Amino acid sequence: MNKRIIKKQTLIFLLIFSLVIIAIVFLSKSNVDYQSQQGLEPSQLTELLEMASKSQPNPDPYISSEVKPSDPLYPGLLAIQLNQTADDLLPLAETRNSDAMYWLASSMSGMELINGEDGALFQQAAELGNPYAAMRLTPILSVSITCNEARLGITICDDEWSEKALKLLKARTEMGDIKSEYYYYKARIALGNYSPSNLKIIDIATRGAKEHYYRPLYDLILHYYIENRSKKVSNENLKATESLIKMMINNNYIPAIRFSRGKRLYTSLSPEWREIVKKKYVELGLHYSLVTEFLDNISDRKASTINLSLIYRNLYILKEVYGIDYYHRLDREIKLFEKDPIRLAAEKEAESIIERIHFPIYIDEQHPPH
């Protein structure tokens, strides 16, 4: 009897031990975004902080855009970014443009299933030399939630694609492509054949910032901020974070602009910088701020506190630019009249704002819209 109990306890122990080992291995491979900057301190960011101290507002709205408006991919990527149909990518994909094929497939699957049609496009793009398509087909590197559920009669997602992904990323890295170098670094960590290094990621982030490629720096700051979120952050650390965020904002990097609207960081910014952020939200095509302001304004049912001019302005921009009609959300306390002087003045102001709106592309192959 005792032997059976001992045997049972031994099996339970072995099972628990195995599960712990599996969990450790899984976490070590899956935590690609945040494991590489443990113990980061402002003293390690000297060159970046020096760059930030000299940063000035950049007049080019597309300075940090993933692709420029002159790029044939731009209309299709903008449609994806705005959650619209990316029909402009079809002609490019038909010419076997691997980038267009990747994004067209990505627009079909989003973050969900890879099915037959988009799976075939990812495979073709990977075979044509697109490293991000090969990553998309590698379960451990893929941004798809269910990469293994491709349905082509064969299993399209397979870790064997990782070798091709690394080879393609390395080739682009050797040609001086900083984005490929960044994802090559992250892919190698995820696959367990490279150790995280503060010096390496800071080096990539610094060189990237010099080229106005801010994803590595943004990820670095995001991790640093999350790491300190539950702690009492020192003034030095907060100032370092603010300084680098401001540099990215000066260069119209949308993820940093969106991040700066977080309550903790936003409240630490000066009133001048808050106004800069709010202005950039509108002028760089971020309608989230308009929606938020609209909903915030009508949440208080006291008509005397409602900024009707701001509501009219935002509603007009949302409808004319984004096709989002929120007029029906106004209740009986807010009367809408076609010839209301406040409405006419607000819409005139909105038209001048619309003329100044630009749409930098801030999504990339590993960060589709969400």
Side-chain angles (χ1 to χ4, degrees):
M1 182 69 176
N2 288 337
K3 289 183 178 180
R4 285 202 299 268
I5 293 174
I6 292 171
K7 185 176 181 180
K8 185 177 180 180
Q9 289 175 336
T10 301
L11 288 172
I12 292 172
F13 173 79
L14 290 174
L15 178 61
I16 293 173
F17 180 77
S18 299
L19 289 173
V20 169
I21 293 299
I22 291 170
I24 291 172
V25 171
F26 174 77
L27 288 172
S28 67
K29 290 187 175 183
S30 63
N31 192 19
V32 181
D33 286 333
Y34 303 123
Q35 70 174 345
S36 57
Q37 299 97 37
Q38 295 300 319
L40 189 68
E41 291 296 333
S43 59
Q44 298 174 296
L45 308 174
T46 304
E47 188 173 1
L48 280 166
L49 290 172
E50 184 179 350
M51 291 169 58
S53 69
K54 299 175 181 177
S55 174
Q56 296 294 324
N58 196 309
D60 182 358
Y62 299 102
I63 188 65
S64 59
S65 182
E66 280 288 319
V67 300
K68 313 299 183 186
S70 58
D71 192 306
L73 287 170
Y74 179 84
L77 266 65
L78 178 58
I80 292 173
Q81 189 168 285
L82 296 176
N83 294 311
Q84 298 170 0
T85 305
D87 292 335
D88 290 294
L89 292 174
L90 282 167
L92 285 173
E94 289 171 356
T95 66
R96 295 173 67 79
N97 180 309
S98 69
D99 290 324
M101 293 167 76
Y102 173 91
W103 281 109
L104 186 60
S106 184
S107 71
M108 295 175 183
S109 63
M111 295 287 284
E112 302 301 327
L113 296 176
I114 292 181
N115 58 36
E117 189 176 359
D118 55 359
L121 276 173
F122 280 132
Q123 184 176 20
Q124 290 172 43
E127 290 169 349
L128 288 171
N130 189 299
Y132 305 105
M135 290 176 72
R136 196 67 179 260
L137 297 173
T138 307
I140 197 170
L141 301 178
S142 181
V143 295
S144 296
I145 292 172
T146 50
C147 180
N148 280 317
E149 297 193 23
R151 294 187 291 274
L152 287 176
I154 57 173
T155 303
I156 197 84
C157 291
D158 195 301
D159 281 323
E160 290 184 3
W161 282 104
S162 65
E163 185 177 344
K164 186 172 184 66
L166 289 179
K167 182 178 179 181
L168 293 170
L169 286 170
K170 183 180 180 182
R172 292 192 180 191
T173 296
E174 291 172 348
M175 293 176 66
D177 183 356
I178 192 70
K179 181 169 80 169
S180 295
E181 181 177 355
Y182 180 50
Y183 288 120
Y184 180 55
Y185 166 81
K186 294 183 71 174
R188 291 179 68 191
I189 292 173
L191 294 168
N193 59 17
Y194 193 86
S195 298
S197 165
N198 276 0
L199 292 177
K200 180 65 175 176
I201 191 63
I202 292 170
D203 174 59
I204 293 174
T206 304
R207 288 185 289 113
K210 290 176 180 178
E211 297 181 19
H212 300 296
Y213 174 62
Y214 293 108
R215 173 55 67 175
L217 176 59
Y218 175 75
D219 287 349
L220 185 110
I221 291 301
L222 183 62
H223 162 75
Y224 178 73
Y225 200 74
I226 288 174
E227 187 182 60
N228 288 282
R229 186 166 52 188
S230 60
K231 306 173 186 176
K232 187 176 181 180
V233 182
S234 69
N235 288 334
E236 181 189 8
N237 291 359
L238 188 58
K239 285 180 180 178
T241 301
E242 283 185 10
S243 181
L244 294 171
I245 288 290
K246 287 176 180 178
M247 177 174 69
M248 290 187 276
I249 291 173
N250 273 336
N251 288 285
N252 302 313
Y253 187 59
I254 287 179
I257 295 168
R258 292 172 66 178
F259 179 64
S260 69
R261 287 303 300 266
K263 184 176 181 181
R264 189 177 184 188
L265 182 58
Y266 190 67
T267 54
S268 72
L269 296 175
S270 67
E272 178 188 3
W273 267 95
R274 292 184 203 176
E275 286 304 310
I276 289 172
V277 169
K278 289 174 68 175
K279 184 179 179 182
K280 284 186 178 289
Y281 244 81
V282 177
E283 294 186 354
L284 295 178
L286 290 163
H287 69 271
Y288 314 102
S289 182
L290 301 178
V291 173
T292 300
E293 284 186 347
F294 165 64
L295 295 177
D296 284 349
N297 270 282
I298 68 167
S299 64
D300 187 341
R301 299 309 186 197
K302 297 177 183 178
S304 61
T305 67
I306 292 172
N307 188 336
L308 193 57
S309 177
L310 182 63
I311 287 178
Y312 279 137
R313 188 197 77 177
N314 289 358
L315 288 180
Y316 185 82
I317 296 173
L318 286 169
K319 186 175 181 181
E320 295 299 312
V321 179
Y322 303 98
I324 302 173
D325 188 350
Y326 268 107
Y327 280 95
H328 65 280
R329 293 291 300 273
L330 299 180
D331 61 21
R332 295 175 184 176
E333 294 181 48
I334 306 176
K335 306 296 183 183
L336 286 173
F337 300 102
E338 289 298 325
K339 296 184 179 181
D340 183 342
I342 297 178
R343 176 174 181 173
L344 293 177
E347 290 183 355
K348 186 175 181 180
E349 180 190 0
E351 287 174 358
S352 68
I353 292 172
I354 289 172
E355 291 176 0
R356 301 195 303 271
I357 291 179
H358 300 278
F359 293 93
I361 302 300
Y362 62 89
I363 59 175
D364 72 12
E365 290 85 351
Q366 290 293 291
H367 296 85
H370 54 275

